[in-house]
Amino acid sequence: DTEVTQTPKHLVMGMTNKKSLKCEQHMGHRAMYWYKQKAKKPPELMFVYSYEKLSINESVPSRFSPECPNSSLLNLHLHALQPEDSALYLCASSQDLIGTGHGYTFGSGTRLTVV
Amino acid sequence: SQQGEEDPQALSIQEGENATMNCSYKTSINNLQWYRQNSGRGLVHLILIRSNEREKHSGRLRVTLDTSKKSSSLLITASRAADTASYFCATDATGGFKTIFGAGTRLFVKA
């Protein structure tokens, strides 16, 4: 299995809703990432997990809450989002933080719309 | 900011022509990567070049790296309509633990 699977593919939520994005990989990668991407912009790093521990939080608002239940799963819990949070949320994984020459494997993303 | 800058921002060519995209960055790096993204989908890793390498090939792709100029280029030879996508360079800074993406080049290949 050489894929990162993200669910759901599309999500529409109200500003008072609570929802979660899920990401799964079975490549044995020990680093996992959440990126946010607005239209026609590059991906922006949000969180980095290494060996199931949060390593980097890029000053992301607390309405975004990451969770890494085990080495294969990464969640992003959403609560009280704003319309400007609408974006493509990408999950990625790599063998480790430093990188071993194989780059990152990205999921197809969740297209989030906040209404 | 370490963020890479790419040029051109957009490129339109005919099928069969070569496409060249450039990336510049600001800090010392461990490696530089190129990714392709089709219309709002996930990114696909194309090639990684380490700081001690100068050129790398993969199929129709050729990547060069000039660390003295802090720049890289991606050449796609004999382009196809299916190469239409956005292309991003990304860098892993020396001593850092995160990958930073450039602004991207949107390539349109006309059949």
Side-chain angles (χ1 to χ4, degrees):
Chain A
D1 188 349
T2 58
E3 290 186 345
V4 173
T5 302
Q6 287 188 246
T7 56
K9 292 192 185 304
H10 301 275
L11 178 63
V12 179
M13 62 184 290
M15 289 187 283
T16 58
N17 291 160
K18 287 184 180 181
K19 296 287 184 183
S20 297
L21 309 185
K22 297 185 183 300
C23 174
E24 190 169 2
Q25 59 88 13
H26 296 287
M27 295 175 282
H29 287 179
R30 304 318 300 256
M32 296 185 76
Y33 312 79
W34 281 114
Y35 281 86
K36 173 183 177 180
Q37 187 179 28
K38 302 284 270 185
K40 297 185 179 180
K41 295 291 186 182
E44 295 179 3
L45 183 65
M46 299 176 71
F47 302 105
V48 180
Y49 273 83
S50 175
Y51 289 85
E52 301 160 47
K53 294 191 187 308
L54 183 64
S55 296
I56 296 175
N57 176 342
E58 290 288 284
S59 302
V60 178
S62 59
R63 58 186 183 269
F64 295 90
S65 175
E67 178 196 20
C68 190
N70 60 55
S71 60
S72 299
L73 294 174
L74 186 65
N75 298 323
L76 186 62
H77 302 298
L78 314 173
H79 174 55
L81 295 193
Q82 303 297 310
E84 58 265 29
D85 295 323
S86 298
L88 180 68
Y89 288 84
L90 294 162
C91 175
S93 69
S94 63
Q95 291 195 1
D96 57 46
L97 268 185
I98 303 298
T100 57
H102 298 283
Y104 298 79
T105 302
F106 278 84
S108 296
T110 294
R111 174 72 60 189
L112 174 68
T113 303
V114 182
V115 297
Chain B
S1 167
Q2 180 203 330
Q3 185 178 20
E5 297 179 0
E6 295 177 64
D7 78 273
Q9 290 186 342
L11 180 61
S12 181
I13 60 174
Q14 291 292 136
E15 209 168 27
E17 294 180 341
N18 295 342
T20 299
M21 289 159 266
N22 302 297
C23 169
S24 61
Y25 56 92
K26 298 179 180 178
T27 65
S28 297
I29 61 171
N30 289 324
N31 62 67
L32 185 144
Q33 303 159 51
W34 285 91
Y35 290 84
R36 184 186 75 232
Q37 185 177 36
N38 291 90
S39 187
R41 306 289 302 191
L43 283 78
V44 175
H45 178 252
L46 297 176
I47 199 164
L48 180 149
I49 186 165
R50 297 187 184 283
S51 60
N52 61 354
E53 298 175 307
R54 292 297 167 258
E55 187 171 313
K56 207 161 181 180
H57 297 254
S58 177
R60 294 185 295 113
L61 306 180
R62 173 177 170 257
V63 169
T64 61
L65 179 64
D66 187 334
T67 53
S68 67
K69 295 181 179 178
K70 291 187 169 60
S71 68
S72 173
S73 67
L74 170 67
L75 169 67
I76 303 174
T77 60
S79 63
R80 306 166 182 168
D83 295 328
T84 295
S86 292
Y87 291 82
F88 294 93
C89 70
T91 52
D92 288 346
T94 303
F97 296 100
K98 55 187 180 182
T99 297
I100 303 297
F101 286 82
T105 293
R106 292 191 299 281
L107 174 66
F108 181 63
V109 182
K110 293 177 282 188

